[in-house]
Amino acid sequence: MPVSALTHRSEAAATLPANVEVFTGDLTVPESLDPALKGAGAAFLVWTAPPHTTAAAVDRLAAYVRRVVFLSSPHRTPHPFFQQPNHMALLHADIERLIAATGLESTIIRPGMLASNSLAWWAPAIRTGKVVRWPYGAAETAPVDDRDVAAVAARTLHQDGYAGGDYVLTGPESLTQAAQVDVIGEALVRRIAFEEMTPDEFRSLSEGTAPSSVVDMLLAAWSAAVGQPAYLTTAVADILGKAPRTFRQWAADHATAFIGDS
């Protein structure tokens, strides 16, 4: 089945397989999507733009394709970790309503905490041999491997039988954040020291790197997750027919990303 990709920057084509036809477009300029959508039967939507053109972009999708798979978030999940005020969740909910209103066949996939977040959060300290300092080390999450999320997206996009599906994707086990750092240490065959950081310290260190609303949301979510197991689903296994990768597998496969140059 032929695959095409829409990217905001033409240089991204170099990262895609040679047999993928690449189009350049912009979600904030809905008419720029037309060349990529012509002849397409289904589309995978990842919203990465400001929200003001969501309605026009979704209408554009509906004019060309019969099915859409939307990468959303677990904002409908009752677990308190996912119920903190979150501008992105509000945007996702709005896009879901727009998709439903078009009558398109739709599948919603909702990854929980991504295993790859640890690369941004902890890899800089680990690569330089420093103590990992982080707030709410006792907060439990169930990191899902990005490769499993991608496989679920591909399966639900290319195969029939998933119309109307709404899937929360998680890893197979609940782990505290401190335990996740320990798992990375096991993959590197060395102990990584973990030290609790206060929320105010985290806010100070995050200035200029993330919006304050995102920082507040993360802190509230981690605080709410302390003392209770993470929300787990079997969605990855149900769709792919095999168990989701563990965080230990992810850490072993990405160990080199945590190793310094020296």
Side-chain angles (χ1 to χ4, degrees):
M1 182 179 295
V3 175
S4 57
L6 177 75
T7 177
H8 185 57
R9 296 189 176 127
S10 57
E11 58 266 28
T15 67
L16 296 168
N19 60 343
V20 173
E21 187 174 10
V22 180
F23 296 87
T24 302
D26 189 330
L27 289 168
T28 65
V29 185
E31 60 271 21
S32 73
L33 311 181
D34 291 358
L37 291 172
K38 285 177 181 175
F44 178 48
L45 177 61
V46 183
W47 194 270
T48 58
H52 63 279
T53 55
T54 52
V58 170
D59 284 345
R60 218 76 185 188
L61 284 175
Y64 287 98
V65 304
R66 65 180 178 84
R67 183 167 77 238
V68 62
V69 176
F70 176 48
L71 183 71
S72 188
S73 52
H75 58 85
R76 293 183 176 180
T77 304
H79 193 286
F81 180 78
F82 298 114
Q83 292 303 310
Q84 311 312 310
N86 185 343
H87 292 303
M88 184 59 71
L90 293 175
L91 173 62
H92 287 161
D94 186 50
I95 294 174
E96 289 169 33
R97 287 190 292 269
L98 291 169
I99 291 171
T102 65
L104 278 166
E105 293 180 11
S106 65
T107 304
I108 311 298
I109 59 175
R110 308 179 185 276
M113 189 63 72
L114 295 172
S116 61
N117 285 340
S118 60
L119 291 171
W121 292 344
W122 306 323
I126 293 172
R127 280 196 291 261
T128 55
K130 296 178 181 176
V131 173
V132 171
R133 302 187 71 249
W134 205 249
Y136 298 110
E140 297 192 37
T141 64
V144 60
D145 194 305
D146 306 57
R147 295 169 295 184
D148 286 335
V149 176
V152 166
R155 179 69 58 87
T156 56
L157 185 66
H158 289 298
Q159 292 190 5
D160 293 328
Y162 298 102
D166 192 313
Y167 305 103
V168 177
L169 309 180
T170 73
E173 57 188 336
S174 178
L175 293 168
T176 67
Q177 298 197 98
Q180 291 169 40
V181 173
D182 286 342
V183 168
I184 295 169
E186 290 173 16
L188 298 175
V189 198
R190 65 181 174 88
R191 181 180 177 275
I192 300 171
F194 184 94
E195 183 179 293
E196 191 76 16
M197 176 191 289
T198 69
D200 284 343
E201 285 180 286
F202 185 72
R203 287 189 181 94
S204 295
L205 289 173
S206 300
E207 284 184 11
T209 63
S212 60
S213 59
V214 173
V215 173
D216 289 341
M217 179 273 294
L218 286 171
L219 288 169
W222 290 326
S223 176
V226 172
Q228 57 182 311
Y231 186 79
L232 299 177
T233 76
T234 61
V236 172
D238 295 341
I239 294 170
L240 300 182
K242 60 181 180 180
R245 293 175 174 91
T246 65
F247 187 70
R248 182 166 278 99
Q249 287 175 287
W250 180 90
D253 290 344
H254 294 81
T256 56
F258 294 93
I259 299 173
D261 295 331
S262 56

